[in-house]
Amino acid sequence: MARWETPPGRPRLAKDEVHVWRISLPSIEPRRAWETLSDEERRRAARHRFAVHRSRFIAGRAALRAVLSAYLDVDAADVPLVTGAGGRPRLAGDPDLDFNLAHSGDVALIAVARGRAVGIDVERLRRGVPYDRLARRFFAPREAEDLRRVPAALRPAAFFACWTRKEAWLKASGYGLERGLPSALPRFAVPVEPRLPALAVTLPDRPEESARWTLVDVGVGSGYAGALAVEGPLQARFYLWAS
């Protein structure tokens, strides 16, 4: 379970660490957030049809800029974000710093690592989701079968636990970019049961890959599932962002 701390004035990221930041999106002041965005980010925000999705995108990108500014010691508006492969943001001029952003509902998670790949995902648990049908379409056969064996009352938590674990690893590894989404999702497997102490990725076509990655759940809070994937061993610190 994550132990969320108040961050130091300026975080120091060691090579063997991963920092995970939890942000409450409604706490981000809209006008200040908009002012930190680049022209490209503002155009992307404007393409969101619904105001709630537009607001969350703006808050998420502003939070990302604010977090990265703490490591780079620059203003949030001056963080040199560019769009990388698959639309994923990256830093121009500092390829050693890897990071990943995910948001769902009112919560955003940002993972930051140095010298190795990292991926993170968060999902708000929702009712009315056709879990079994989606699992048959997007999960590996073993995962879909394991989900059917989970008691009905625990199935929503199990579905989102599996989903966030898969998304976090896909984002860290780039496996989905190589094979295309959603076709990559059924081609590897992770555990389905929620709240497991240890997790592993199983790739039938690349069995040697499993040992390269650490995959863990992130205790985001009631009503959410979260997962973190990182290349190599994990020493994590969990921070609450105060805007």
Side-chain angles (χ1 to χ4, degrees), residues 18-30:
V18 176
H19 291 179
V20 179
W21 297 80
R22 185 187 189 278
I23 296 101
S24 171
L25 294 177
S27 73
I28 306 296
E29 203 280 315

Side-chain angles (χ1 to χ4, degrees), residues 135-136 138-145 166 185-190:
R136 288 194 299 272
F138 295 113
F139 287 4
R142 190 187 81 185
E143 293 168 333
E145 180 60 32
K166 291 175 79 71
L185 284 165
R187 300 182 66 170
F188 69 99
V190 299

